[in-house]
Amino acid sequence: MRAAAGRRLAMSDRIDEATDAIHRLLLDAQDTGVTQETAVALLGRKDTTGLRCVLLARSWASETWTAEEIQAALDCDPDWMTTQGADRLIKQYRELATDQDDGVRDEAQRLLARLRPRQEWAQDPEANT
């Protein structure tokens, strides 16, 4: 029930009004399925608003399993599989790396630091084997 609520709220046109509820669902300490479903739905929006919600929750996650579930949603976003999707995500991370919220900014910077420039991995012959 809570996972379905997370998916519905994530797809809402008025997501700004539901930020507190979404945040609580992302940090659900009782059920990582709720965390995962909500994070995936937010990332499925493919916009900076959804990604920002996920990064904010990642910065607040105090339970290891919750933090890992949010990180898995970020790492396993299917948009990483396409050049266009990866470029969009990197652009959004760069935008959020200057966010006013310290947690969002730190998470975006941490994730960007883990990435090698696309030009670098595209030219790496071992990456293509």
Side-chain angles (χ1 to χ4, degrees):
M1 192 72 112
R2 292 188 322 266
R7 288 189 304 270
R8 280 193 307 277
L9 288 172
M11 299 315 295
S12 172
D13 290 338
R14 298 180 348 198
I15 195 171
D16 293 336
E17 296 172 17
T19 302
D20 289 339
I22 289 170
H23 192 72
R24 284 192 306 273
L25 290 166
L26 284 166
L27 296 175
D28 190 313
Q30 304 303 313
D31 187 350
T32 58
V34 174
T35 299
Q36 193 259 348
E37 293 281 333
T38 305
V40 167
L42 285 163
L43 295 173
R45 293 173 58 98
K46 300 183 186 297
D47 64 8
T48 305
T49 301
L51 179 58
R52 186 182 188 283
C53 287
V54 175
L55 293 181
L56 180 62
R58 176 66 180 85
S59 75
W60 278 59
S62 59
E63 300 293 340
T64 302
W65 50 86
T66 303
E68 288 174 353
E69 203 65 43
I70 294 170
Q71 189 62 54
L74 289 162
D75 291 344
C76 297
D77 187 329
D79 278 352
W80 286 115
M81 299 304 292
T82 67
T83 300
Q84 182 180 1
D87 287 346
R88 180 184 47 76
L89 284 167
I90 291 168
K91 180 180 177 187
Q92 289 172 333
Y93 281 140
R94 285 184 177 145
E95 179 182 338
L96 292 170
T98 61
D99 195 88
Q100 291 180 342
D101 184 276
D102 291 343
V104 172
R105 185 176 56 245
D106 292 347
E107 285 299 317
Q109 290 172 357
R110 181 183 65 79
L111 291 165
L112 280 170
R114 289 178 44 199
L115 300 173
R116 292 184 356 194
R118 277 189 6 85
Q119 299 81 6
E120 209 177 295
W121 59 258
Q123 294 173 3
D124 184 354
E126 290 187 32
N128 296 321
T129 58

